[in-house]
Amino acid sequence: MATGISLFFLAVGAILTFAVNTTVSGVDIDTIGVILMVIGLLGMLLSLVLWDSWSPGAIRRDDVVIDDEPPVRRSVTRRVYR
C-alpha cells in the first residue's frame, strides 16, 4: 500500500512540475510538484527499508515445534465385497 501511495505522489508531483503551465497567485505549482516528488521518493525508500525481506536487521526464525508423543500407528483395512 505504501508503495502505491508513493508512486501516486511521484506521478502527481511530476505532472504538476513538468506538465502544468498555469500561474496561480500566491502559489508556485512547480514547487508543490517538486515537494510531492520528494515525498514520493522518501516514501518509496522507507517502504523498501521497512519491508521485512529487505531490511538489514531482519532475522528469520522458524518456530520449531517438538512433539514428545510418538506418532500414532494406524492400519488401513480394505473390505472386498463379492
Side-chain angles (χ1 to χ4, degrees):
M1 186 74 171
T3 307
I5 293 172
S6 298
L7 286 175
F8 175 75
F9 279 144
L10 276 171
V12 170
I15 289 170
L16 287 176
T17 302
F18 302 117
V20 176
N21 292 326
T22 343
T23 57
V24 179
S25 63
V27 177
D28 190 8
I29 295 178
D30 290 337
T31 305
I32 293 174
V34 170
I35 290 171
L36 286 176
M37 286 193 296
V38 168
I39 289 172
L41 282 173
L42 288 176
M44 183 74 73
L45 289 175
L46 280 176
S47 69
L48 287 177
V49 167
L50 296 178
W51 202 14
D52 286 341
S53 63
W54 282 71
S55 66
I59 298 173
R60 297 207 181 257
R61 294 181 184 161
D62 295 332
D63 293 334
V64 178
V65 177
I66 299 174
D67 197 9
D68 292 334
E69 298 177 13
V72 177
R73 189 170 269 271
R74 295 188 174 117
S75 62
V76 178
T77 59
R78 185 169 58 170
R79 295 183 184 189
V80 178
Y81 297 102
R82 295 182 189 195

